[in-house]
Amino acid sequence: MHLNTYDGNGGAGRACVRLNRALTDQGIESKIIVHYKFGKNSDIGDFNTNLLRKGYTAATIILERILAKRYLKALKTPFSFAWFGRSVIHHPDVKAADIIHLHWVNHGFLDPKHIAEIAKLGKPVVWTFHDSNAFTGGCHVRYTCDHFKNECGNCPLLKDAGPNDQSHKIWKQKRAAYDVLNFRIVAPSKWMQMSVGESSLMRGKPVAQIPNTLETDIFMPVDKSSAREKAGFAIDKFILLSGFMPSRKDMHKGTSYLLDSLELLKKRLGATADRIELVVFGNRNTEDVPEFPFKTSFFGTISNDEKLALCYAAADAFLIPSLEDNLPYTVLESLSCGTPVIAFRTGGIPDMVKHEQNGYLAEYRSSESFADGMEWVINNPDREQLNKNARQTVMDVFSEEVIAKRHIDLYHGLLKLPLQGTGGANVQP
């Protein structure tokens, strides 16, 4: 039984849905129940049994965001407080499950008290960490902050930071919950696995490093000329594709570095710069977007996976200037469609992008190095082999069958372990 806050919204939701499909394809009885359901997929369960309950859930999600502004500085770094939560242990499908698999459980879903309550079921619990929140005092993205290695406190995101601030109080609530609930951690990237090992909250807990997967039968290579014609891209241009571009002020996505590197690229290319075009998807509007140095088309949010896959396949390279990411799906999706990726060497991206094999890993926070990567792909004498390498990386390491089997091995091992309350947290399957 997979538990996630939303049904496919965001990277964690998509990872949950994709893993569920991969397990089902391998003959496993796998189900999902979410805190708040947006879609109409009848295969995904919902804890809200009526409109009144759903309305209350929506209200707590919104209220948490409103109240958080009173405590947080005006920084665009996500932070979750532990004010709201719900019990999940009485749901019949949860009670019937052999394995409880937690994913992203914030926004009023599972607070520390209700996480600890899961121990009453006496079932093995797996928890995939899609970001850092589970082992910090509230933040989802840490950047250079190392307070999670101790007991948080003095949080750089809080207005009233101090040794006993909200981050330290949340840390103590989580510590109390984790002392009660024995769970196996899944880290989708080596970077996340390393981070967990450094965390004071997770000290001594076993970690399995298993990546996320995706639908390789949807995100797959297509003849670029045909893909461009269907996607509406220019046939005779070198297409650079990129994802969500909020604004130059955005920190997490590194937009300012992308803008600077594109300016550098234009200067380097000189008279040949007009053969480059940029395509951006994921932007919510075209009013609050920066001005790009190349001709740019904005495709907005693409909710149809087939159309999104076509865009990846039609592009010559995908650009992701993210400054911290666990295992971003845009990278995996692009590679699966046979399109090389240019990115910073950060987070879990090096698990996917192999330098000068299926893309280019730029020096962290270096616009010059990012521009080098774009030049390298543009001038690559064998781009066809580069495209093949991109697809092969996904099929070898991240395909549904490979990832499903690794999870199944983990589940089987856990079913042989002592259950909750036996002190078996450090036992390896």
Side-chain angles (χ1 to χ4, degrees):
M1 179 55 61
H2 302 273
L3 303 182
N4 195 68
T5 301
Y6 304 117
D7 53 333
N9 293 50
R14 290 178 70 80
C16 177
V17 170
R18 285 165 163 169
L19 175 58
N20 183 66
R21 172 185 133 144
L23 292 169
T24 301
D25 288 346
Q26 294 298 313
I28 300 298
E29 186 182 358
S30 180
K31 297 180 180 180
I32 302 172
I33 307 180
V34 297
H35 179 49
Y36 189 91
K37 185 175 177 179
F38 287 95
K40 297 180 180 179
N41 186 341
S42 59
D43 293 332
I44 297 178
D46 186 353
F47 286 102
N48 301 307
T49 53
N50 54 56
L51 286 176
L52 184 63
R53 186 65 195 176
K54 187 167 186 176
Y56 173 80
T57 298
T60 59
I61 293 170
I62 296 168
L63 185 58
E64 181 182 284
R65 295 185 184 184
I66 294 172
L67 292 175
K69 293 179 180 179
R70 297 176 56 191
Y71 295 89
L72 296 172
K73 295 177 182 176
L75 300 172
K76 292 189 176 181
T77 302
F79 189 104
S80 289
F81 292 89
W83 291 323
F84 303 101
R86 77 185 313 157
S87 177
V88 300
I89 65 172
H90 303 294
H91 192 287
D93 285 341
V94 174
K95 291 166 70 174
D98 296 304
I99 298 274
I100 305 297
H101 193 145
L102 307 180
H103 290 268
W104 200 85
V105 294
N106 300 101
H107 287 179
F109 186 19
L110 291 177
D111 60 336
K113 180 180 71 173
H114 290 103
I115 287 172
E117 188 183 43
I118 295 173
K120 295 178 181 179
L121 294 173
K123 301 175 186 293
V125 176
V126 174
W127 192 349
T128 297
F129 288 176
H130 297 283
D131 62 26
S132 300
N133 179 266
F135 54 87
T136 71
C139 71
H140 293 261
V141 183
R142 307 185 317 270
Y143 296 114
T144 58
C145 180
D146 62 357
H147 298 182
F148 76 104
K149 296 180 181 180
N150 298 303
E151 297 186 4
C152 284
N154 295 303
C155 179
L157 303 180
L158 296 174
K159 292 177 181 177
D160 297 320
N164 195 37
D165 62 17
Q166 286 292 319
S167 71
H168 178 64
K169 291 175 182 176
I170 294 170
W171 185 96
K172 290 197 295 184
Q173 291 173 17
K174 290 180 178 180
R175 164 55 70 198
Y178 301 162
D179 284 344
V180 174
L181 182 68
N182 174 18
F183 54 90
R184 172 61 55 90
I185 301 162
V186 171
S189 66
K190 293 171 184 168
W191 168 79
M192 180 60 75
Q193 183 181 34
M194 179 188 70
S195 299
V196 170
E198 294 175 336
S199 164
S200 58
L201 279 173
M202 298 300 154
R203 200 161 288 142
K205 293 217 178 263
V207 186
Q209 197 272 304
I210 307 176
N212 299 324
T213 188
L214 79 168
E215 305 90 337
T216 54
D217 57 341
I218 295 176
F219 292 91
M220 58 190 295
V222 178
D223 174 72
K224 289 206 180 290
S225 296
S226 173
R228 287 186 178 192
E229 188 175 344
K230 293 178 181 176
F233 291 6
I235 301 295
D236 59 342
K237 302 290 186 179
F238 189 94
I239 303 294
L240 298 172
L241 180 69
S242 195
F244 179 48
M245 296 287 125
S247 71
R248 183 182 277 272
K249 295 179 182 178
D250 173 71
M251 291 176 58
H252 177 40
K253 298 298 182 184
T255 307
S256 62
Y257 292 95
L258 177 61
L259 290 167
D260 292 343
S261 66
L262 288 169
E263 292 282 3
L264 289 169
L265 179 66
K266 187 174 183 178
K267 290 178 182 177
R268 294 180 188 181
L269 294 177
T272 63
D274 61 353
R275 68 190 176 107
I276 307 297
E277 285 195 10
L278 179 67
V279 175
V280 176
F281 68 86
N283 53 294
R284 291 168 186 169
N285 60 65
T286 56
E287 297 172 4
D288 184 31
V289 293
E291 185 177 340
F292 292 98
F294 295 99
K295 179 182 176 183
T296 305
S297 300
F298 297 97
F299 274 53
T301 301
I302 302 175
S303 54
N304 181 284
D305 280 349
E306 285 77 7
K307 183 178 179 181
L308 181 58
L310 196 66
C311 290
Y312 284 119
D316 291 295
F318 181 74
L319 314 177
I320 175 170
S322 180
L323 301 180
E324 181 175 311
D325 254 316
N326 182 8
L327 203 76
Y329 257 127
T330 50
V331 173
L332 209 54
E333 290 165 351
S334 180
L335 294 175
S336 191
C337 291
T339 298
V341 174
I342 296 141
F344 287 128
R345 192 184 297 272
T346 183
I349 291 175
D351 291 4
M352 301 176 284
V353 179
K354 304 305 174 186
H355 187 57
E356 296 188 350
Q357 294 180 36
N358 62 7
Y360 192 96
L361 289 172
E363 295 174 22
Y364 189 56
R365 292 180 183 264
S366 169
S367 299
E368 291 82 1
S369 182
F370 205 92
D372 291 343
M374 289 187 280
E375 263 197 302
W376 180 81
V377 175
I378 291 168
N379 298 323
N380 195 292
D382 194 357
R383 293 212 300 266
E384 185 176 345
Q385 185 60 49
L386 192 60
N387 297 343
K388 289 179 180 177
N389 292 347
R391 172 68 175 182
Q392 197 59 50
T393 298
V394 173
M395 297 309 294
D396 289 346
V397 184
F398 304 97
S399 69
E400 300 99 313
E401 183 177 356
V402 169
I403 300 306
K405 287 183 176 178
R406 290 186 64 184
H407 278 90
I408 292 167
D409 288 345
L410 173 65
Y411 297 153
H412 283 171
L414 287 172
L415 289 170
K416 299 173 186 175
L417 287 179
L419 299 183
Q420 308 298 345
T422 61
N426 293 310
V427 182
Q428 298 285 341

